[in-house]
Amino acid sequence: MTAIITAIDLAHELTGARPPVLLDVRWQLSVAKAAGAPAFDGRAEYAAGHIPGAVFVDLDRELAGEPGGNGRHPLPDLAEFGAAMRRAGVSADRPVVVYDGGQGWAAARAWWLLHWTGHPDVRVLDGGMPTWRGELSTEIPDPAEGDFRPVPAAAGLLDADGAAALAGTGVLLDARAGERYRGEVEPIDRVGGHIPGALSAPTTENVGPDGRFLPAAELRDRFKALGVSTDAEVGVYCGSGVSGAHEVLALAVAGIPAALYVGSWSEWSSDPARPVAVGADPQ
């Protein structure tokens, strides 16, 4: 089962006897509030036009808990997450397709949460809304209540201690931009740099100019060059567990399982007792 779907294939499935549940998770990482500008409004974008039948999901409120010591986008309360998914029509026996505005990060966060909590068939629209060539709708659907009950997996999730350990025993990838990894700039968190031992692997390099994932073989070659092998345990972090989910998705496309450190740098850097490495050297 693939983790992504093309717009052409999605359009075909939507006309079939068992169409997928569609989730619209348009969201953008924005520091606009700090500059006094209005933040990106995904719900307004959705209301202005979405793929017919799609239900809007709010990343900040439904795919994450309250920001704090566990990071800017910690795990949501799973009972509340399950209730939100059921309101959106998500059931265990019906496929789900998630999309966003094209960056892929927000859709990947929804994909990762559903996958980690046991949904057997969830995919991301590769390239997001810009790839959709069909009509758009402003009608807000009222789906029948779903039956999905999230049951978290024993594997696939890292905490701060687990991420630190994995940096020494396996491969820990930092999905942020290289300049944030090196500590040259840090627009959001308390301090710049990276977890000692982590390798810089910006998730933006997993996609082509059109925002779609590179072919699986190219992704495998990329991760192999970073030291990822079939024997290595792999983990990913980013700023707050959103772009990192996109890298976990890229690894899945390449056929490589990986765990996500959801708290990521926003949690790690909030504790002055945790070590911080700077520069291009992982250590």
PDB file of all heavy atoms in Angstrom, residues 53-84:
ATOM      1  N   GLY A  53     -16.508  17.502  -1.261  1.00  0.00           N
ATOM      2  CA  GLY A  53     -16.646  16.457  -0.256  1.00  0.00           C
ATOM      3  C   GLY A  53     -15.626  16.509   0.861  1.00  0.00           C
ATOM      4  O   GLY A  53     -15.765  15.803   1.864  1.00  0.00           O
ATOM      5  N   ALA A  54     -14.590  17.342   0.715  1.00  0.00           N
ATOM      6  CA  ALA A  54     -13.542  17.398   1.725  1.00  0.00           C
ATOM      7  C   ALA A  54     -14.037  18.087   2.990  1.00  0.00           C
ATOM      8  O   ALA A  54     -14.826  19.032   2.939  1.00  0.00           O
ATOM      9  CB  ALA A  54     -12.319  18.125   1.182  1.00  0.00           C
ATOM     10  N   VAL A  55     -13.557  17.615   4.126  1.00  0.00           N
ATOM     11  CA  VAL A  55     -13.869  18.188   5.431  1.00  0.00           C
ATOM     12  C   VAL A  55     -12.615  18.869   5.961  1.00  0.00           C
ATOM     13  O   VAL A  55     -11.517  18.300   5.916  1.00  0.00           O
ATOM     14  CB  VAL A  55     -14.333  17.102   6.424  1.00  0.00           C
ATOM     15  CG1 VAL A  55     -14.574  17.695   7.806  1.00  0.00           C
ATOM     16  CG2 VAL A  55     -15.592  16.415   5.911  1.00  0.00           C
ATOM     17  N   PHE A  56     -12.764  20.088   6.465  1.00  0.00           N
ATOM     18  CA  PHE A  56     -11.601  20.810   6.982  1.00  0.00           C
ATOM     19  C   PHE A  56     -11.185  20.258   8.342  1.00  0.00           C
ATOM     20  O   PHE A  56     -12.009  19.991   9.208  1.00  0.00           O
ATOM     21  CB  PHE A  56     -11.907  22.304   7.114  1.00  0.00           C
ATOM     22  CG  PHE A  56     -10.733  23.102   7.626  1.00  0.00           C
ATOM     23  CD1 PHE A  56      -9.655  23.362   6.809  1.00  0.00           C
ATOM     24  CD2 PHE A  56     -10.716  23.574   8.938  1.00  0.00           C
ATOM     25  CE1 PHE A  56      -8.564  24.082   7.277  1.00  0.00           C
ATOM     26  CE2 PHE A  56      -9.637  24.305   9.419  1.00  0.00           C
ATOM     27  CZ  PHE A  56      -8.563  24.556   8.583  1.00  0.00           C
ATOM     28  N   VAL A  57      -9.873  20.103   8.510  1.00  0.00           N
ATOM     29  CA  VAL A  57      -9.290  19.693   9.787  1.00  0.00           C
ATOM     30  C   VAL A  57      -8.283  20.757  10.207  1.00  0.00           C
ATOM     31  O   VAL A  57      -7.417  21.146   9.416  1.00  0.00           O
ATOM     32  CB  VAL A  57      -8.602  18.313   9.665  1.00  0.00           C
ATOM     33  CG1 VAL A  57      -7.850  17.972  10.948  1.00  0.00           C
ATOM     34  CG2 VAL A  57      -9.630  17.229   9.352  1.00  0.00           C
ATOM     35  N   ASP A  58      -8.401  21.223  11.426  1.00  0.00           N
ATOM     36  CA  ASP A  58      -7.552  22.286  11.956  1.00  0.00           C
ATOM     37  C   ASP A  58      -6.322  21.667  12.615  1.00  0.00           C
ATOM     38  O   ASP A  58      -6.427  21.006  13.645  1.00  0.00           O
ATOM     39  CB  ASP A  58      -8.349  23.112  12.973  1.00  0.00           C
ATOM     40  CG  ASP A  58      -7.624  24.374  13.412  1.00  0.00           C
ATOM     41  OD1 ASP A  58      -6.408  24.299  13.690  1.00  0.00           O
ATOM     42  OD2 ASP A  58      -8.273  25.436  13.477  1.00  0.00           O
ATOM     43  N   LEU A  59      -5.163  21.876  12.017  1.00  0.00           N
ATOM     44  CA  LEU A  59      -3.946  21.260  12.538  1.00  0.00           C
ATOM     45  C   LEU A  59      -3.671  21.695  13.973  1.00  0.00           C
ATOM     46  O   LEU A  59      -3.384  20.871  14.845  1.00  0.00           O
ATOM     47  CB  LEU A  59      -2.748  21.594  11.641  1.00  0.00           C
ATOM     48  CG  LEU A  59      -1.412  20.922  12.001  1.00  0.00           C
ATOM     49  CD1 LEU A  59      -0.589  20.653  10.754  1.00  0.00           C
ATOM     50  CD2 LEU A  59      -0.589  21.743  12.987  1.00  0.00           C
ATOM     51  N   ASP A  60      -3.754  22.991  14.246  1.00  0.00           N
ATOM     52  CA  ASP A  60      -3.396  23.503  15.565  1.00  0.00           C
ATOM     53  C   ASP A  60      -4.342  23.012  16.653  1.00  0.00           C
ATOM     54  O   ASP A  60      -3.932  22.824  17.805  1.00  0.00           O
ATOM     55  CB  ASP A  60      -3.384  25.029  15.558  1.00  0.00           C
ATOM     56  CG  ASP A  60      -2.235  25.595  14.735  1.00  0.00           C
ATOM     57  OD1 ASP A  60      -1.111  25.056  14.844  1.00  0.00           O
ATOM     58  OD2 ASP A  60      -2.441  26.562  13.979  1.00  0.00           O
ATOM     59  N   ARG A  61      -5.615  22.801  16.321  1.00  0.00           N
ATOM     60  CA  ARG A  61      -6.609  22.449  17.339  1.00  0.00           C
ATOM     61  C   ARG A  61      -6.975  20.969  17.372  1.00  0.00           C
ATOM     62  O   ARG A  61      -7.411  20.469  18.411  1.00  0.00           O
ATOM     63  CB  ARG A  61      -7.885  23.279  17.123  1.00  0.00           C
ATOM     64  CG  ARG A  61      -7.680  24.764  17.388  1.00  0.00           C
ATOM     65  CD  ARG A  61      -8.939  25.554  17.085  1.00  0.00           C
ATOM     66  NE  ARG A  61      -8.795  26.956  17.437  1.00  0.00           N
ATOM     67  CZ  ARG A  61      -8.212  27.875  16.675  1.00  0.00           C
ATOM     68  NH1 ARG A  61      -7.731  27.524  15.492  1.00  0.00           N
ATOM     69  NH2 ARG A  61      -8.110  29.126  17.084  1.00  0.00           N
ATOM     70  N   GLU A  62      -6.817  20.267  16.239  1.00  0.00           N
ATOM     71  CA  GLU A  62      -7.273  18.877  16.169  1.00  0.00           C
ATOM     72  C   GLU A  62      -6.147  17.872  15.954  1.00  0.00           C
ATOM     73  O   GLU A  62      -6.327  16.682  16.238  1.00  0.00           O
ATOM     74  CB  GLU A  62      -8.323  18.732  15.067  1.00  0.00           C
ATOM     75  CG  GLU A  62      -9.581  19.548  15.357  1.00  0.00           C
ATOM     76  CD  GLU A  62     -10.585  19.558  14.225  1.00  0.00           C
ATOM     77  OE1 GLU A  62     -10.161  19.689  13.042  1.00  0.00           O
ATOM     78  OE2 GLU A  62     -11.796  19.425  14.511  1.00  0.00           O
ATOM     79  N   LEU A  63      -5.011  18.345  15.468  1.00  0.00           N
ATOM     80  CA  LEU A  63      -3.883  17.452  15.234  1.00  0.00           C
ATOM     81  C   LEU A  63      -2.729  17.733  16.186  1.00  0.00           C
ATOM     82  O   LEU A  63      -1.630  17.194  16.024  1.00  0.00           O
ATOM     83  CB  LEU A  63      -3.391  17.570  13.782  1.00  0.00           C
ATOM     84  CG  LEU A  63      -4.430  17.314  12.687  1.00  0.00           C
ATOM     85  CD1 LEU A  63      -3.789  17.443  11.317  1.00  0.00           C
ATOM     86  CD2 LEU A  63      -5.085  15.948  12.852  1.00  0.00           C
ATOM     87  N   ALA A  64      -2.958  18.593  17.162  1.00  0.00           N
ATOM     88  CA  ALA A  64      -1.926  18.944  18.137  1.00  0.00           C
ATOM     89  C   ALA A  64      -2.584  19.371  19.438  1.00  0.00           C
ATOM     90  O   ALA A  64      -3.732  19.826  19.452  1.00  0.00           O
ATOM     91  CB  ALA A  64      -1.035  20.073  17.602  1.00  0.00           C
ATOM     92  N   GLY A  65      -1.832  19.220  20.524  1.00  0.00           N
ATOM     93  CA  GLY A  65      -2.281  19.713  21.810  1.00  0.00           C
ATOM     94  C   GLY A  65      -1.868  21.160  22.010  1.00  0.00           C
ATOM     95  O   GLY A  65      -1.311  21.802  21.122  1.00  0.00           O
ATOM     96  N   GLU A  66      -2.121  21.672  23.198  1.00  0.00           N
ATOM     97  CA  GLU A  66      -1.751  23.048  23.515  1.00  0.00           C
ATOM     98  C   GLU A  66      -0.232  23.184  23.557  1.00  0.00           C
ATOM     99  O   GLU A  66       0.462  22.347  24.133  1.00  0.00           O
ATOM    100  CB  GLU A  66      -2.334  23.457  24.870  1.00  0.00           C
ATOM    101  CG  GLU A  66      -3.839  23.643  24.867  1.00  0.00           C
ATOM    102  CD  GLU A  66      -4.260  24.848  24.031  1.00  0.00           C
ATOM    103  OE1 GLU A  66      -3.516  25.849  23.999  1.00  0.00           O
ATOM    104  OE2 GLU A  66      -5.335  24.780  23.416  1.00  0.00           O
ATOM    105  N   PRO A  67       0.319  24.243  22.936  1.00  0.00           N
ATOM    106  CA  PRO A  67       1.763  24.438  23.002  1.00  0.00           C
ATOM    107  C   PRO A  67       2.230  24.688  24.426  1.00  0.00           C
ATOM    108  O   PRO A  67       1.493  25.227  25.247  1.00  0.00           O
ATOM    109  CB  PRO A  67       1.991  25.664  22.105  1.00  0.00           C
ATOM    110  CG  PRO A  67       0.671  26.363  22.046  1.00  0.00           C
ATOM    111  CD  PRO A  67      -0.367  25.305  22.174  1.00  0.00           C
ATOM    112  N   GLY A  68       3.454  24.265  24.695  1.00  0.00           N
ATOM    113  CA  GLY A  68       3.999  24.428  26.042  1.00  0.00           C
ATOM    114  C   GLY A  68       5.331  23.731  26.156  1.00  0.00           C
ATOM    115  O   GLY A  68       6.113  23.685  25.204  1.00  0.00           O
ATOM    116  N   GLY A  69       5.573  23.135  27.304  1.00  0.00           N
ATOM    117  CA  GLY A  69       6.850  22.490  27.548  1.00  0.00           C
ATOM    118  C   GLY A  69       7.126  21.297  26.666  1.00  0.00           C
ATOM    119  O   GLY A  69       8.290  20.904  26.488  1.00  0.00           O
ATOM    120  N   ASN A  70       6.084  20.698  26.100  1.00  0.00           N
ATOM    121  CA  ASN A  70       6.259  19.556  25.193  1.00  0.00           C
ATOM    122  C   ASN A  70       6.383  19.968  23.732  1.00  0.00           C
ATOM    123  O   ASN A  70       6.356  19.110  22.847  1.00  0.00           O
ATOM    124  CB  ASN A  70       5.090  18.582  25.344  1.00  0.00           C
ATOM    125  CG  ASN A  70       5.095  17.891  26.687  1.00  0.00           C
ATOM    126  OD1 ASN A  70       6.161  17.600  27.239  1.00  0.00           O
ATOM    127  ND2 ASN A  70       3.928  17.637  27.234  1.00  0.00           N
ATOM    128  N   GLY A  71       6.487  21.271  23.475  1.00  0.00           N
ATOM    129  CA  GLY A  71       6.679  21.748  22.112  1.00  0.00           C
ATOM    130  C   GLY A  71       5.506  22.550  21.599  1.00  0.00           C
ATOM    131  O   GLY A  71       4.469  22.675  22.263  1.00  0.00           O
ATOM    132  N   ARG A  72       5.674  23.104  20.407  1.00  0.00           N
ATOM    133  CA  ARG A  72       4.630  23.951  19.816  1.00  0.00           C
ATOM    134  C   ARG A  72       3.456  23.141  19.270  1.00  0.00           C
ATOM    135  O   ARG A  72       2.340  23.641  19.198  1.00  0.00           O
ATOM    136  CB  ARG A  72       5.221  24.810  18.686  1.00  0.00           C
ATOM    137  CG  ARG A  72       6.042  25.970  19.159  1.00  0.00           C
ATOM    138  CD  ARG A  72       6.339  26.953  18.022  1.00  0.00           C
ATOM    139  NE  ARG A  72       6.908  26.298  16.865  1.00  0.00           N
ATOM    140  CZ  ARG A  72       8.194  25.964  16.751  1.00  0.00           C
ATOM    141  NH1 ARG A  72       9.016  26.188  17.736  1.00  0.00           N
ATOM    142  NH2 ARG A  72       8.639  25.374  15.653  1.00  0.00           N
ATOM    143  N   HIS A  73       3.723  21.919  18.836  1.00  0.00           N
ATOM    144  CA  HIS A  73       2.658  21.047  18.316  1.00  0.00           C
ATOM    145  C   HIS A  73       2.792  19.661  18.934  1.00  0.00           C
ATOM    146  O   HIS A  73       3.063  18.678  18.231  1.00  0.00           O
ATOM    147  CB  HIS A  73       2.716  20.961  16.784  1.00  0.00           C
ATOM    148  CG  HIS A  73       2.369  22.239  16.093  1.00  0.00           C
ATOM    149  ND1 HIS A  73       3.325  23.065  15.532  1.00  0.00           N
ATOM    150  CD2 HIS A  73       1.172  22.856  15.895  1.00  0.00           C
ATOM    151  CE1 HIS A  73       2.725  24.119  15.005  1.00  0.00           C
ATOM    152  NE2 HIS A  73       1.427  24.018  15.215  1.00  0.00           N
ATOM    153  N   PRO A  74       2.573  19.556  20.252  1.00  0.00           N
ATOM    154  CA  PRO A  74       2.662  18.242  20.888  1.00  0.00           C
ATOM    155  C   PRO A  74       1.527  17.345  20.438  1.00  0.00           C
ATOM    156  O   PRO A  74       0.590  17.781  19.756  1.00  0.00           O
ATOM    157  CB  PRO A  74       2.557  18.577  22.374  1.00  0.00           C
ATOM    158  CG  PRO A  74       1.755  19.833  22.411  1.00  0.00           C
ATOM    159  CD  PRO A  74       2.173  20.608  21.192  1.00  0.00           C
ATOM    160  N   LEU A  75       1.610  16.094  20.819  1.00  0.00           N
ATOM    161  CA  LEU A  75       0.529  15.170  20.491  1.00  0.00           C
ATOM    162  C   LEU A  75      -0.800  15.691  21.026  1.00  0.00           C
ATOM    163  O   LEU A  75      -0.862  16.213  22.141  1.00  0.00           O
ATOM    164  CB  LEU A  75       0.798  13.802  21.106  1.00  0.00           C
ATOM    165  CG  LEU A  75       1.814  12.886  20.422  1.00  0.00           C
ATOM    166  CD1 LEU A  75       1.990  11.627  21.251  1.00  0.00           C
ATOM    167  CD2 LEU A  75       1.391  12.544  19.000  1.00  0.00           C
ATOM    168  N   PRO A  76      -1.862  15.545  20.249  1.00  0.00           N
ATOM    169  CA  PRO A  76      -3.180  15.906  20.775  1.00  0.00           C
ATOM    170  C   PRO A  76      -3.644  14.867  21.792  1.00  0.00           C
ATOM    171  O   PRO A  76      -3.132  13.739  21.825  1.00  0.00           O
ATOM    172  CB  PRO A  76      -4.065  15.878  19.523  1.00  0.00           C
ATOM    173  CG  PRO A  76      -3.432  14.830  18.663  1.00  0.00           C
ATOM    174  CD  PRO A  76      -1.946  14.978  18.886  1.00  0.00           C
ATOM    175  N   ASP A  77      -4.600  15.239  22.612  1.00  0.00           N
ATOM    176  CA  ASP A  77      -5.295  14.254  23.418  1.00  0.00           C
ATOM    177  C   ASP A  77      -5.937  13.256  22.455  1.00  0.00           C
ATOM    178  O   ASP A  77      -6.699  13.647  21.553  1.00  0.00           O
ATOM    179  CB  ASP A  77      -6.358  14.945  24.270  1.00  0.00           C
ATOM    180  CG  ASP A  77      -7.163  13.954  25.077  1.00  0.00           C
ATOM    181  OD1 ASP A  77      -8.192  13.467  24.544  1.00  0.00           O
ATOM    182  OD2 ASP A  77      -6.781  13.669  26.210  1.00  0.00           O
ATOM    183  N   LEU A  78      -5.631  11.979  22.610  1.00  0.00           N
ATOM    184  CA  LEU A  78      -6.071  11.002  21.612  1.00  0.00           C
ATOM    185  C   LEU A  78      -7.574  10.812  21.585  1.00  0.00           C
ATOM    186  O   LEU A  78      -8.149  10.520  20.533  1.00  0.00           O
ATOM    187  CB  LEU A  78      -5.349   9.676  21.816  1.00  0.00           C
ATOM    188  CG  LEU A  78      -3.850   9.682  21.480  1.00  0.00           C
ATOM    189  CD1 LEU A  78      -3.271   8.286  21.591  1.00  0.00           C
ATOM    190  CD2 LEU A  78      -3.587  10.255  20.085  1.00  0.00           C
ATOM    191  N   ALA A  79      -8.236  10.997  22.738  1.00  0.00           N
ATOM    192  CA  ALA A  79      -9.703  10.908  22.735  1.00  0.00           C
ATOM    193  C   ALA A  79     -10.283  12.056  21.915  1.00  0.00           C
ATOM    194  O   ALA A  79     -11.227  11.863  21.127  1.00  0.00           O
ATOM    195  CB  ALA A  79     -10.236  10.940  24.160  1.00  0.00           C
ATOM    196  N   GLU A  80      -9.716  13.262  22.074  1.00  0.00           N
ATOM    197  CA  GLU A  80     -10.202  14.409  21.303  1.00  0.00           C
ATOM    198  C   GLU A  80      -9.858  14.259  19.826  1.00  0.00           C
ATOM    199  O   GLU A  80     -10.664  14.608  18.953  1.00  0.00           O
ATOM    200  CB  GLU A  80      -9.605  15.699  21.872  1.00  0.00           C
ATOM    201  CG  GLU A  80     -10.081  16.017  23.284  1.00  0.00           C
ATOM    202  CD  GLU A  80      -9.445  17.280  23.833  1.00  0.00           C
ATOM    203  OE1 GLU A  80      -8.710  17.963  23.092  1.00  0.00           O
ATOM    204  OE2 GLU A  80      -9.683  17.575  25.027  1.00  0.00           O
ATOM    205  N   PHE A  81      -8.670  13.739  19.537  1.00  0.00           N
ATOM    206  CA  PHE A  81      -8.289  13.492  18.144  1.00  0.00           C
ATOM    207  C   PHE A  81      -9.249  12.496  17.494  1.00  0.00           C
ATOM    208  O   PHE A  81      -9.737  12.710  16.376  1.00  0.00           O
ATOM    209  CB  PHE A  81      -6.857  12.968  18.080  1.00  0.00           C
ATOM    210  CG  PHE A  81      -6.457  12.399  16.752  1.00  0.00           C
ATOM    211  CD1 PHE A  81      -6.345  13.211  15.635  1.00  0.00           C
ATOM    212  CD2 PHE A  81      -6.188  11.044  16.614  1.00  0.00           C
ATOM    213  CE1 PHE A  81      -5.972  12.681  14.398  1.00  0.00           C
ATOM    214  CE2 PHE A  81      -5.812  10.510  15.397  1.00  0.00           C
ATOM    215  CZ  PHE A  81      -5.706  11.330  14.281  1.00  0.00           C
ATOM    216  N   GLY A  82      -9.550  11.413  18.202  1.00  0.00           N
ATOM    217  CA  GLY A  82     -10.476  10.418  17.664  1.00  0.00           C
ATOM    218  C   GLY A  82     -11.850  11.000  17.406  1.00  0.00           C
ATOM    219  O   GLY A  82     -12.473  10.729  16.373  1.00  0.00           O
ATOM    220  N   ALA A  83     -12.324  11.838  18.341  1.00  0.00           N
ATOM    221  CA  ALA A  83     -13.636  12.461  18.162  1.00  0.00           C
ATOM    222  C   ALA A  83     -13.640  13.375  16.935  1.00  0.00           C
ATOM    223  O   ALA A  83     -14.620  13.407  16.172  1.00  0.00           O
ATOM    224  CB  ALA A  83     -14.015  13.244  19.410  1.00  0.00           C
ATOM    225  N   ALA A  84     -12.551  14.123  16.738  1.00  0.00           N
ATOM    226  CA  ALA A  84     -12.457  15.003  15.571  1.00  0.00           C
ATOM    227  C   ALA A  84     -12.465  14.201  14.279  1.00  0.00           C
ATOM    228  O   ALA A  84     -13.109  14.585  13.288  1.00  0.00           O
ATOM    229  CB  ALA A  84     -11.190  15.853  15.662  1.00  0.00           C
TER     230      ALA A  84
END
